[in-house]
Amino acid sequence: MSATKQPSANPLTLKERIKVPRQHMPEQAAELRVLNFKEVNLGYSTELARQEALRCLECAKPTCVDFCPVGVKVKEFVQLIVEGNYLGAAAKIREDNVLPAITGRVCPQEDHCEGSCLLHKKVDSLGIGYLERFVADYEQRMSVPPAPNAAQTGKKVAIVGSGPAGLSVAGDLVQKGHEVHVFEALHEIGGVLVYGIPEFRLPKQVIREQIETMRQMGVEFETDVVVGKTVTIDELFGEEGYDAVFIATGAGLPVFLNIPGEHLNGVYSANEFLTRINLMHAYEFPKYDEPMVDLRGKHIAVIGGGNTALDAIRSARRLGGEKTYVIYRRSETEMPARIEEVRHAKQEGIEFRMLTNPVEFLDDGRGWLKAARCVEMELGEADASGRRRPIPKAGSEFDIPLQVAVIATGTSANPLIQSTTPGLETNKRGYIVADAETQKTSKRGVFAGGDIVTGGATVILAMGAGRRAARSIQEYLNSGQW
Amino acid sequence: MFKIRGAEFIAPGIKRFAIEAPRIARKHEAGQFLILRLDEHGERIPLTIESADPAGGVVTIVVQSVGKTTYQLNALKAGDAILDVVGPLGKPSVIEKFGTVVIVGGGVGTALAYPTTAALKRAGNRVLSIVGGRNRDLVILEKEMRAVSDELYVTTDDGSYGEKGLVTDKLRQLLDAGETTRLVLAVGPIPMMKAVADLTRDRGIHTVVSLNPIMIDGTGMCGGCRVLVGGKSQFACVDGPEFDAREVDFNVLMQRNRMYRETEQRSLEEYKKRIESEELKGQDASCLAQGVKP
């Protein structure tokens, strides 16, 4: 396998590569992991990573790169793994993605890179997410100092919100030599990564390390600042002297079902349920002060079919929930959750009650939930989202006994910034209007991206918006042209 | 970290803190609150801002020891620090010239009503205030309230000070005597606010209450602070904390606020046990005598 003959270091022929099976991600056994909050996936060894990397067909036109919202150069970083140059691979990813250890864990790869992988036509797609995670964790263990930034430009950029979109912009712009200041409303940095995604899927330590890297790069963070309340956007431009502002405040208030009994004790929104557990450590009560309903031996259901729903119900299982259900009004095919999470949830003993929709929560007579009255659904014609519309079956009502129900059916727009920022246009649902290419808003110098523009989406789509915003902020700061 | 500039008990178990928080002090308007977290293991609790001094960069809060966090907070002194303080949150009170307004403050609620009372007075209203408490010690801010009121009435449940009875008795008496008012603002325990709402509903008087539901982030994210107002879910952190009293479902509010009573009780008892088992010396003991031990 001399490098002069072959452009690739991969010694296998294409036929041989297809024969190598997708390398299984080592994971904690289901019966053990339901007793703890430790990470489910344990990560590839170098040997597994190399074996997996050898499967890459090294397409002349790699669709995986086109399908990545931030354009990670998948083929190139996988080739570097084959060569054994793991730090080189990490640096290659970092050219496009400032949070590889996070996206390697939570990105819905099947909708992006892996879904487009040519291997997928014949066998399992390349484990791009697993490989990304491998090199990111490797780089972390080696404590590689971040690449130096460009010379200081003297320009100041304020970033509102420290979730995936905000961090993505911060990472990109600090490297260009701008002064970058990130404002966070909560007491911890990371937004949805810390309040929304549980430890068993994305350990806090991984987030902390990524944030620490950004601090070393020169990004400044300030917690406990609610922009729109503590300070307004106009004040950021005025007395605080910023040249550009990026708004990435994320998802807003939870949407409820508007059915009777929703105010009973024991009925939570997923945001509250997960915030108590993840951000406030309610599962470590009384070491931490935040209270939580005791879930041991209880019957618990989550309503919804996305990643948030699965995060909530898998947390409930770990907190001792005896019967744990996912109640979803469509079928499993339409569930927006990552395939891996669905598989993990089933292994953990969570029951899937598909084509089921609650119509009422029933009172135990003391103000607490005792059951969800549900109807069976069937699928009709496709709706605006392209998914088949669920229709209730007449006379199919039945009760599921429950003490806790968690509603994970989406969020609406947070109103705080819009209501205190004159000249910032919003759409009829209250989300900030931003250009799809440049992320520019209707207000000069203000850019926006992530869930506050699109409504609830994914980490990687928010980061994609961050990348685009960083590019156009850079242009704006250079040219002064709006 | 947010430094405590001053801390003094104004009644048994009720303490006023002046906290260095320049950003909050600059933006505060009457009716708004802040959220604080004492330490790494602490919960986030919402507290109404009593006053703000933008020039000095200080806000004041009035805290009654009811649960573990408030007991722990009331054991802090000037010079100590609080890990997180965020605000000002919630919508400010609507301040207009209504004509005559009646303010009803129950217990520590008086401190929460005070900034709005002062603002209504400044706006040129004729302000009638009724402040009450279980007993003489729990009537707070009488002097401050008197300074911003045209008339001030004091009631105590046990008759140890002012008139014997409830604040709502006094309110009824004023209304029966023909006092016409464009606005009643009631801040205090839920049963008091409910009683005020019941009283003014029939008479068609616009009445505002400041609600204190369970709350976590306070910024319009978690939805924990949802209250049933006019049959619809509203969120106290961004839609409130003030709501039209006649629309509020107080029973649901009371039921939801009881949700964690057992765990809260356990938390508090364990905290008290720990404190009692620790060696307490000097000034700490006097502080605990008033703040920690009820």
Side-chain angles (χ1 to χ4, degrees):
Chain A
M1 52 167 221
S2 77
T4 47
K5 265 191 172 177
Q6 272 187 334
S8 152
N10 194 326
L12 304 183
T13 65
L14 292 184
K15 274 188 181 166
E16 286 168 337
R17 294 181 200 184
I18 292 171
K19 287 200 183 111
V20 179
R22 176 165 161 134
Q23 301 300 299
H24 182 68
M25 165 63 78
E27 56 193 37
Q28 262 200 87
E31 60 274 22
L32 277 183
R33 69 181 190 242
V34 296
L35 303 173
N36 65 51
F37 270 78
K38 291 188 192 134
E39 197 174 10
V40 172
N41 285 346
L42 303 173
Y44 274 165
S45 62
T46 43
E47 192 40 47
L48 283 174
R50 184 182 152 76
Q51 276 299 106
E52 185 61 29
L54 286 173
R55 300 178 65 230
C56 179
L57 298 177
E58 301 177 318
C59 306
K61 286 183 180 158
T63 50
C64 48
V65 182
D66 301 333
F67 274 73
C68 174
V70 296
V72 167
K73 299 175 196 84
V74 178
K75 181 170 119 180
E76 294 175 45
F77 96 74
V78 174
Q79 281 175 335
L80 287 161
I81 297 177
V82 172
E83 288 168 25
N85 183 356
Y86 308 129
L87 291 180
K92 184 56 72 183
I93 297 175
R94 282 196 174 280
E95 289 175 11
D96 303 290
N97 175 354
V98 290
L99 305 167
I102 292 168
T103 50
R105 286 171 165 87
V106 304
C107 202
Q109 286 91 5
E110 65 262 26
D111 296 337
H112 302 290
C113 55
E114 294 185 20
S116 80
C117 177
L118 218 55
L119 278 172
H120 189 47
K121 294 212 159 89
K122 297 199 161 200
V123 289
D124 289 329
S125 56
L126 183 65
I128 299 167
Y130 294 164
L131 290 173
E132 180 179 48
R133 173 192 162 155
F134 166 77
V135 292
D137 288 357
Y138 183 90
E139 182 194 40
Q140 186 60 44
R141 283 199 301 278
M142 295 294 128
S143 333
V144 181
N149 299 333
Q152 290 289 308
T153 62
K155 302 279 189 194
K156 282 176 72 179
V157 182
I159 292 171
V160 185
S162 67
L167 291 178
S168 174
V169 173
D172 281 357
L173 290 182
V174 80
Q175 285 176 327
K176 303 279 189 206
H178 306 303
E179 193 182 319
V180 176
H181 196 101
V182 181
F183 294 98
E184 168 56 49
L186 294 173
H187 56 259
E188 254 193 77
I189 305 295
V192 71
L193 305 171
V194 295
Y195 75 73
I197 304 179
E199 185 77 16
F200 56 82
R201 206 150 75 79
L202 177 61
K204 301 280 174 297
Q205 184 58 25
V206 172
I207 305 164
R208 272 186 224 115
E209 286 163 359
Q210 303 273 312
I211 304 287
E212 188 46 41
T213 304
M214 301 195 75
R215 278 192 215 275
Q216 286 169 20
M217 290 161 73
V219 177
E220 284 174 50
F221 292 97
E222 186 173 349
T223 53
D224 296 329
V225 177
V226 184
V227 174
K229 286 284 179 189
T230 315
V231 60
T232 63
I233 299 284
D234 286 331
E235 287 165 343
L236 290 177
F237 283 112
E239 48 227 80
E240 306 227 3
Y242 288 94
D243 300 292
V245 174
F246 178 62
I247 304 175
T249 47
L253 284 159
V255 172
F256 285 89
L257 301 168
N258 283 319
I259 60 174
E262 211 154 36
H263 284 81
L264 290 172
N265 290 358
V267 180
Y268 284 95
S269 74
N271 278 6
E272 181 188 354
F273 190 78
L274 287 169
T275 299
R276 282 183 187 276
I277 294 170
N278 299 328
L279 179 71
M280 304 308 297
H281 299 260
Y283 66 97
E284 294 182 72
F285 182 88
K287 182 183 166 198
Y288 284 81
D289 291 335
E290 191 71 30
M292 181 88 198
V293 168
D294 188 350
L295 299 178
R296 287 172 297 180
K298 300 271 169 69
H299 294 197
I300 303 150
V302 67
I303 323 297
N307 288 317
T308 307
L310 292 188
D311 285 344
I313 200 65
R314 294 173 70 201
S315 298
R317 181 86 176 114
R318 282 159 174 76
L319 288 167
E322 185 184 295
K323 283 217 161 252
T324 42
Y325 308 100
V326 175
I327 297 179
Y328 183 51
R329 63 196 181 121
R330 303 180 201 246
S331 74
E332 195 176 320
T333 328
E334 287 83 25
M335 274 183 74
R338 292 176 82 220
I339 292 171
E340 187 177 45
E341 310 310 328
V342 172
R343 181 167 57 81
H344 282 162
K346 287 183 174 171
Q347 288 169 350
E348 290 163 12
I350 287 150
E351 293 176 42
F352 281 56
R353 305 292 286 263
M354 302 291 101
L355 293 165
T356 303
N357 201 30
V359 290
E360 184 179 358
F361 291 114
L362 305 179
D363 191 336
D364 72 349
R366 295 177 299 123
W368 285 80
L369 176 68
K370 78 165 181 195
R373 178 148 299 161
C374 299
V375 285
E376 288 175 29
M377 310 291 278
E378 54 194 350
L379 294 180
E381 298 296 308
D383 65 10
S385 75
R387 295 175 300 177
R388 294 177 63 193
R389 186 194 303 275
I391 305 160
K393 281 194 211 170
S396 64
E397 290 193 0
F398 67 102
D399 293 349
I400 301 177
L402 293 174
Q403 290 83 48
V404 173
V406 182
I407 298 167
T409 49
T411 51
S412 60
N414 185 309
L416 290 188
I417 288 187
Q418 297 86 314
S419 63
T420 53
T421 310
L424 187 67
E425 197 189 321
T426 55
N427 66 21
K428 62 177 187 295
R429 291 162 64 217
Y431 294 103
I432 297 175
V433 175
D435 183 88
E437 283 295 310
T438 63
Q439 306 298 136
K440 281 182 182 174
T441 68
S442 58
K443 194 175 170 77
R444 187 187 171 88
V446 180
F447 302 75
D451 283 3
I452 191 62
V453 171
T454 58
T458 63
V459 168
I460 193 65
L461 288 174
M463 289 177 63
R467 285 236 90 187
R468 292 192 296 276
R471 267 197 298 272
S472 58
I473 293 170
Q474 167 72 1
E475 245 177 66
Y476 171 66
L477 292 177
N478 278 345
S479 69
Q481 301 288 316
W482 183 248
Chain B
M1 295 292 269
F2 295 79
K3 201 171 162 199
I4 298 173
R5 185 86 65 83
E8 45 152 6
F9 280 102
I10 57 172
I14 301 178
K15 200 165 184 176
R16 179 191 277 125
F17 291 92
I19 300 167
E20 279 180 23
R23 279 191 191 272
I24 304 175
R26 208 162 49 145
K27 299 293 286 188
H28 168 256
E29 292 178 60
Q32 292 185 300
F33 61 96
L34 53 76
I35 283 191
L36 60 78
R37 188 177 74 129
L38 293 179
D39 55 47
E40 279 301 333
H41 294 156
E43 58 180 341
R44 295 168 67 94
I45 60 162
L47 293 161
T48 301
I49 300 168
E50 186 215 22
S51 69
D53 167 15
V58 168
V59 292
T60 64
I61 51 173
V62 173
V63 184
Q64 183 169 30
S65 314
V66 284
K68 184 202 163 183
T69 303
T70 44
Y71 270 81
Q72 210 180 344
L73 175 55
N74 280 355
L76 297 181
K77 309 176 296 289
D80 290 338
I82 296 168
L83 185 56
D84 296 289
V85 181
V86 61
L89 301 172
K91 287 186 179 164
S93 306
V94 175
I95 305 298
E96 281 172 30
K97 187 164 178 187
F98 294 95
T100 298
V101 299
V102 178
I103 311 294
V104 184
V108 75
T110 304
L112 317 185
Y114 169 70
T116 305
T117 311
L120 286 167
K121 178 70 187 162
R122 278 196 302 274
N125 290 286
R126 173 168 168 262
V127 177
L128 312 182
S129 297
I130 308 168
V131 301
R134 282 201 308 278
N135 56 46
R136 182 184 189 120
D137 285 341
L138 294 173
V139 174
I140 60 166
L141 262 64
E142 184 191 344
K143 187 164 59 83
E144 289 88 340
M145 285 296 280
R146 193 176 295 282
V148 295
S149 303
D150 293 273
E151 290 171 29
L152 180 103
Y153 305 94
V154 178
T155 66
T156 50
D157 296 6
D158 64 358
S160 56
Y161 187 57
E163 297 176 37
K164 182 172 168 25
L166 302 172
V167 284
T168 40
D169 297 334
K170 188 72 214 175
L171 176 61
R172 183 181 298 110
Q173 203 186 326
L174 288 179
L175 297 176
D176 285 349
E179 196 61 74
T180 51
T181 170
R182 294 274 315 284
L183 168 74
V184 173
L185 170 72
V187 191
I190 299 172
M192 182 211 97
M193 293 191 287
K194 183 172 188 289
V196 170
D198 289 341
L199 184 62
T200 56
R201 186 177 292 114
D202 302 338
R203 302 172 193 241
I205 302 167
H206 178 51
T207 302
V208 170
V209 285
S210 178
L211 303 186
N212 57 340
I214 285 170
M215 194 177 280
I216 308 174
D217 70 298
T219 65
M221 183 275 284
C222 86
C225 66
R226 69 187 198 269
V227 286
L228 200 53
V229 180
K232 284 194 293 197
S233 274
Q234 299 255 305
F235 299 96
C237 71
V238 292
D239 301 323
E242 291 181 0
F243 292 98
D244 184 336
R246 292 168 296 174
E247 302 263 291
V248 172
D249 188 326
F250 289 101
N251 294 332
V252 161
L253 178 62
M254 238 178 295
Q255 161 218 311
R256 284 182 57 79
N257 275 9
R258 278 199 300 264
M259 191 147 161
Y260 297 106
R261 202 159 54 179
E262 276 172 37
T263 20
E264 284 162 357
Q265 212 59 39
R266 192 180 135 204
S267 223
L268 178 59
E269 275 156 25
E270 281 177 20
Y271 173 72
K272 284 187 189 169
K273 249 184 268 166
R274 205 179 75 223
I275 291 297
E276 278 163 16
S277 69
E278 276 170 20
E279 285 270 308
L280 297 166
K281 291 172 197 154
Q283 72 271 35
D284 282 346
S286 71
C287 185
L288 291 170
Q290 288 189 78
V292 177
K293 289 178 186 164

